[in-house]
Amino acid sequence: MNVGKLIERLLQLIPVLLGVSVIVFVMMLVTPGDPVEIMLGDQHVTEEQEQALRHDMGLDLPPHERFFKFLSNAMTGDFGLSYYHRQPVTEVIASRLPATIELSLAALIFALLVSIPLGVLAAVRKNSILDRISTVTSLFGVSMPGFWFGILLILFFAVNLRWLPVSGRAGFSSEVEPITHLLLIDSLLRGRVDAFWDALKHIILPAITLGLPMASILMRVTRASMLDVLNCDYITFAEAKGLRKSQILIKHALRNALIPTVTVAALQTGSLLGGNMVVETVFGWPGLGRLVVESIFVRNYPLIQAAVLFYAVTYVMLNFLADILYTVLNPKVRL
Amino acid sequence: MFKKSLIALGMAGMLAVPGMAAELKVGFSADALTLDPANHRNRETETIIRNMFDGLVTRDSQMNVVAELAEGWTAIDPTTYEFKLREGVTFHDGSPFTAADVKFSLDRLTKENAMGGQTSPRQSLLSALADVEVVDDLTVRLKLSDPWPILPAMLPFQELVSAAHVAAVGEEAMADAVNGTGPFKLVEWRKGQSVIMERYDGYYGGAGDIAPVGPACVERVIFQVIPENASRVAALLAGEVHIIDKLPAHMVAQVEANPDTKVMAVNGTRTSYIALNNQEGPFADIRVRKALAHAIDRQLVVDKILGGNASLTNGILSPDAFGKNKNLPAYEYDPEEAQALLAEAGFADGLEVTLDVDGANKEIAEAIAAVAAKGGFRINVTVRESSMLVSRFRTKGEPIDGQMWLTSWGNGSLDPVGIFVPTHRTADRGNSSGYSNANVDALLDEANVETDRARRAELYAEAEAIVNADLPKVYLWVAQDLYGVSTKVTGWQPSSDSRINLHDACLSD
């Protein structure tokens, strides 16, 4: 991989971030709703007290001044104070980020583990019962709304069977000294099998809920590309050579068939961030998505700004990652 | 046989290992924003904090103000209150609680820039408090800038911190460095997930007027954050949590049907009403406003949609509020009368109007629209985000953008100042009807500084009678707050101010 390309990509981030900043700022400006009014809620306050709060939150300045103030502070890494937490938004976001990353990774792993074998099988046994069932299931998987499917899982596995917990990330006694801040990994690194087990039980349902639409899409992509590959001449040739079927599938077909899957997976990982907002709310998962939704409802401008910028950076980097993976899987392609 | 009993004994012993602490879990709809009692403006945050920090005074479950860290208080004159403090109270770190801590905490709440350059967002909750004077170690005097009769009603909202602790950890660290005088001390705040506390064994016992007095019953308390209603109910049904807040009315049956859980209700403090645009459009005509009031069968809506869990009110004040006028005439359900009034106002063929509502109250709005049809109203329900509706209707005297809005206003202090003034005084911030009546304004202003309780109550009753006749809004009901509770929980009562104080709660097997 070429370092020049990486630098080029990073430079491309600058106009993206600037554009996103402007768009978010303008959208918040034109969306009705006054953070000061929302914060005061059902309180009896005088006009002066309200103005004082407005001044405190920096909302008494005209919009263009607010924007340039935001921009110049942001350059130094200062995204302001969250109106509600009254702490730097970077700290608030950082405290919620590991949970979101852990859940997204778990969902991604679930999606890959389910979709690739099923996609391959469906392609190999085209038009079989298995293929049809997986087609219908994946249709459900894509179209079922997360908040509904999540509740369904909760009612079945947590309320009826009591196998898994309803919500949260870990029980009280599963406290582990953080290393990576990802509980599943930290508990293993610290040799705490009980804590690992507990964290695993907590993450299963949200990860399935979050990963299911992605698994469905990836399964279809794997199936389609596998079918394409299986029709190629070199596969016919390999068969003619008398190679074992499993060897043909894994060594010759799968590697090429996976290229589109990996690309789509990398791009879809971005959409996991969006799905997080729903899943984190349903499962009381202490992540960033829920924080952002709550912030939007109460017009917590500084936090929304910073979080959206973070999402934008993540998307760009995931796209870049997809490109790199593409070159790894297919040496003919260069960045 | 003998062998079997031995095994049974052994197993019983294993079950009783000390690690099995009594742990009470609350499935709570929101996380705390901070654990600094002076640095937020949020009811849920206060509910959590209140289990670790006590105040000078508190409220019992009947909403009476009772002494807590104070032993009692007297009003020396209309602008001076003297508080005697309890002896022998300690903070969680063991240091004694004194009058200097009271002064420090209240100054931190009320003085400009007192929180490391920031001003407390709670300042306006004690707006008339001018100064705090330490008389001796166990006596403080609160000096007010003007007579402010609601001081005792507003003080339960404030908790006291240790001056030495704040100096030691610094203002910023107060967000999660807890050292209070409350029944529980902080173990860990897992942000977005849970606040874990354990019993403070050196607790002085809490308000003497609220039995039982002494350290808390349970050893550990966890507020587990579960924002989604259905998930919160599921956690209760699965036995993962023992108490849940904000039980939606349509899920009551589910909780009641489970043998291990029950529903507990308490009169809320939030008055629901339909704000009508009095400035222009059909509702500028009082006959149309009255027609609408007669067209809505409130009891039917309460029974069908809220499961009967609300009490009707004929004015803005809750039936439990101080100064409530108990003799207000009701606008009874009478569709013929509604049609007649509409015809008189020039709408003989009925009237088509739009009712704005936020997503959470959509069902209620649709029910209202359906029942009002008989009275000649064709109501279109439009769902919008609540922040947007606030901007459209609470215009402080500027033109209102809309016709009617199904909304509500909370009143945790149950004192009219917190609800009557903002929603009905001319151009005040919660006046979502564009209502203006000079007599009402004058009465509210007078009551605001009247220190004679009886006279003050009369002033509010008079104002409410005028408003009842002017009818700027259709007053609906005060809904009950519903909680789902495990049958294992004893000694806990829900409270009207929506606090969940766990000092007295116990868990049985």
Side-chain angles (χ1 to χ4, degrees), chain B residues 271-290:
Chain B
T271 306
S272 294
Y273 50 86
I274 304 174
L276 303 171
N277 184 344
N278 289 211
Q279 297 165 332
E280 55 166 23
F283 293 116
D285 186 331
I286 185 163
R287 291 169 296 189
V288 180
R289 300 202 294 270
K290 288 188 170 168

Side-chain angles (χ1 to χ4, degrees), chain B residues 261-389:
Chain B
T261 57
K262 61 184 173 181
V263 175
M264 290 179 89
V266 64
N267 286 345
T269 56
R270 178 168 287 277
T271 306
S272 294
Y273 50 86
I274 304 174
L276 303 171
N277 184 344
N278 289 211
Q279 297 165 332
E280 55 166 23
F283 293 116
D285 186 331
I286 185 163
R287 291 169 296 189
V288 180
R289 300 202 294 270
K290 288 188 170 168
L292 180 66
H294 283 300
I296 300 173
D297 187 347
R298 297 179 295 168
Q299 194 59 51
L300 183 72
V301 178
V302 167
D303 290 342
K304 294 288 173 202
I305 308 292
L306 299 175
N309 297 304
S311 14
L312 300 186
T313 176
N314 298 313
I316 190 70
L317 297 180
S318 146
D320 299 334
F322 171 78
K324 173 68 185 176
N325 186 333
K326 307 267 183 191
N327 303 314
L328 293 176
Y331 290 85
E332 298 293 353
Y333 175 59
D334 186 347
E336 279 94 47
E337 176 70 13
Q339 284 186 347
L341 280 164
L342 270 185
E344 212 181 293
F347 301 104
D349 299 332
L351 175 62
E352 182 157 352
V353 281
T354 299
L355 172 60
D356 286 320
V357 67
D358 61 20
N361 294 302
K362 174 172 168 269
E363 246 185 289
I364 299 171
E366 282 167 349
I368 287 174
V371 297
K374 248 190 183 170
F377 285 89
R378 290 186 297 280
I379 299 181
N380 305 310
V381 173
T382 310
V383 178
R384 294 176 203 276
E385 196 206 8
S386 77
S387 307
M388 179 189 268
L389 290 168

Side-chain angles (χ1 to χ4, degrees), chain A residues 283-323:
Chain A
F283 289 96
W285 192 261
L288 182 60
R290 204 177 92 205
L291 181 72
V292 171
V293 174
E294 288 163 358
S295 300
I296 291 172
F297 283 138
V298 295
R299 307 286 188 269
N300 192 352
Y301 292 158
L303 204 147
I304 301 170
Q305 278 275 14
V308 173
L309 284 179
F310 170 76
Y311 283 141
V313 173
T314 313
Y315 257 88
V316 172
M317 296 321 279
L318 283 172
N319 270 302
F320 185 45
L321 184 73
D323 291 351

